């Protein structure tokens, strides 16, 4: 099997990390791949840094604005470059960034793989080949990977994914092959599947902005009869959390996005789930920093605004609390 693998990674002010990721793909034992880096309107010099860095690594790089992806005269460069660097005019969140590349691929390619890969990971050289081999010609399957902590390389973060706690806000990492049947979602740090999966299920849900979007997508897939599998032959190393660069962002969006997920899929559990998040708020009041207390509080405030039908400006909320 030598089908093309389209690796998609979303960048926001993390050019250094993503260049390490790109460098780790360079010696891959599977050679038929193309990398799509979607820059989510970074506020630093990410685009030029990634473009120059990719070329220094020996990759051919083409840069294009997201609104010009469908322009005919770009197609040869888009098809033949090792790295396609897509500049988004706006940051609408992690899922929306991925979806720019996914939609382009659905419109222009057939019978290829899509590999969603976080920008803050590095991969062993055999990972891509192992993912392709494990997936094979199967349909309706999502494949995750063995992921270790970058700064504690012997410690397992995920055996492919995690289980969703049904009565308490949060997840439980699956860390061994013996627990693989308990996976509810493949970790978004590495999610591998055929592009037809997105044609069937739709693209990633964009309402979350950050966190829980892969959980939503995988929950939908599981309900639709998709199977989950995990490559345990080769490792990915995750730096953890580079895409959310402040404690406020992480805490706020994890609470808010999680509550949105539970409302969508476990609505009748929501009163109990809210008790668990209120307990987190109380614990933060008693023992945590002011930033964490504020983040959890505002996550609740904005969730109740949604329940009342009011619109949110998540980017403005984050901007005002950095």
């Amino acid at each position: 099997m030598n089908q093309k693998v389209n690796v998609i990674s979303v960048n926001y002010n993390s050019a250094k990390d993503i260049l390490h990721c790109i460098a780790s793909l360079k010696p891959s034992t599977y050679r038929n791949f193309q990398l799509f880096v979607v820059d989510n309107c970074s506020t630093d010099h990410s685009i030029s840094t990634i473009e120059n860095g990719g070329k220094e690594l020996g990759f051919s790089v083409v840069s294009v604005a997201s609104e010009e992806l469908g322009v005919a005269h770009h197609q040869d460069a888009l098809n033949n470059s090792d790295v396609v660097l897509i500049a988004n005019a706006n940051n609408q969140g992690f899922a929306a960034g991925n979806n720019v590349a996914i939609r382009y691929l659905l419109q222009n390619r057939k019978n290829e793989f899509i590999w969603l890969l976080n920008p803050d990971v590095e991969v062993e050289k055999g990972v891509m080949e192992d993912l392709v081999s494990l997936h094979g010609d199967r349909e309706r399957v999502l494949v995750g990977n063995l992921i270790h902590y970058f700064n504690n390389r012997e410690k397992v973060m995920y055996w492919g994914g995690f289980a969703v706690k049904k009565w308490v806000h949060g997840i439980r990492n699956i860390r061994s092959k013996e627990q693989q049947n308990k996976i509810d979602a493949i970790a978004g740090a590495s999610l591998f599947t055929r592009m037809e999966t997105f044609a069937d299920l739709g693209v990633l849900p964009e309402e979350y902005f950050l966190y829980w979007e892969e959980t939503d997508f995988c929950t939908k897939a599981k309900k639709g009869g998709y199977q989950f599998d995990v490559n345990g032959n080769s490792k990915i190393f995750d730096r953890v959390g580079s895409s959310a660069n402040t404690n406020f962002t992480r805490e706020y969006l994890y609470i808010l996005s999680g509550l949105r997920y539970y409302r969508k899929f476990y609505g009748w559990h929501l009163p109990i789930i809210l008790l668990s998040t209120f307990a987190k708020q109380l614990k933060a009041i008693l023992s945590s920093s002011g930033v964490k207390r504020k983040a959890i509080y505002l996550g609740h405030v904005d969730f109740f605004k949604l329940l009342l039908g009011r619109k949110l400006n998540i980017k403005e909320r984050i901007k005002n609390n950095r």
Side-chain angles (χ1 to χ4, degrees), residues 48-261:
S48 59
T49 301
I50 295 168
E51 185 173 15
N52 294 331
K55 291 176 180 177
E56 289 175 4
L57 288 168
F59 288 107
S60 57
V61 182
V62 60
S63 297
V64 61
S66 57
E67 61 269 21
E68 295 182 345
L69 279 172
V71 177
H73 69 263
H74 288 306
Q75 296 314 304
D76 284 346
L78 291 175
N79 289 332
N80 297 317
S81 296
D82 299 320
V83 179
V84 177
L85 178 54
I86 303 170
N88 264 350
N90 295 289
N91 181 4
Q92 299 301 326
F94 176 76
N98 278 289
N99 288 342
V100 169
I102 293 170
R103 290 190 179 102
Y104 168 78
L105 291 168
L106 291 177
Q107 292 168 5
N108 293 277
R109 308 279 181 85
K110 291 182 179 179
N111 303 318
E112 297 179 355
F113 290 110
I114 288 177
W115 184 15
L116 305 184
L117 191 66
N118 269 9
D120 55 355
V121 306
E122 293 184 21
V123 306
E124 291 185 335
K125 65 181 182 179
V127 168
M128 196 180 319
E129 183 173 9
D130 288 336
L131 287 169
V132 172
S133 177
L134 179 60
H135 191 295
D137 292 324
R138 292 182 293 170
E139 298 180 353
R140 305 176 77 80
V141 61
L142 303 177
V143 181
N145 209 88
L146 173 59
I147 301 175
H148 283 230
Y149 289 92
F150 185 86
N151 292 322
N152 188 356
R153 296 173 82 86
E154 298 304 314
K155 186 176 180 180
V156 175
M157 181 188 298
Y158 297 115
W159 178 271
F162 49 85
V164 176
K165 296 178 181 180
K166 303 304 189 293
W167 296 100
V168 178
H169 181 287
I171 63 170
R172 178 174 59 84
N173 292 4
I174 300 300
R175 301 185 190 273
S176 69
K177 185 176 183 179
E178 291 71 30
Q179 296 180 309
Q180 183 171 314
N181 64 339
K182 297 181 180 179
I183 292 175
D184 291 318
I186 298 296
S190 173
L191 192 157
F192 186 93
T193 189
R194 291 190 177 280
M195 63 170 52
E196 288 78 12
T197 297
F198 295 97
D200 178 34
L201 296 173
V203 294
L204 297 175
E206 297 183 3
E207 63 264 31
Y208 296 97
F209 197 81
L210 185 64
Y211 301 129
W212 293 85
E213 55 278 293
E214 85 269 44
T215 317
D216 183 309
F217 183 80
C218 290
T219 300
K220 185 178 180 180
K222 197 170 186 179
K223 288 177 179 290
Y226 280 71
Q227 301 298 310
F228 299 153
D229 210 341
V230 179
N231 165 41
N233 292 328
S234 47
K235 301 172 185 175
I236 290 173
F237 300 96
D238 194 330
R239 286 184 171 82
V240 187
S242 292
S243 55
N245 58 8
T246 69
N247 287 329
F248 177 87
T249 301
R250 289 194 294 270
E251 297 291 345
Y252 165 72
L253 288 175
Y254 190 73
I255 287 289
L256 175 60
S257 298
L259 287 173
R260 298 179 84 161
Y261 169 85

Side-chain angles (χ1 to χ4, degrees), residues 276-301:
S276 74
T277 57
F278 291 152
K280 288 184 180 182
Q281 179 73 78
L282 179 60
K283 182 178 179 181
I285 291 171
L286 295 175
S287 60
S288 300
S289 70
V291 171
K292 184 171 183 177
R293 292 197 297 270
K294 187 176 184 181
I296 296 174
Y297 169 72
L298 290 176
H300 283 102
V301 167

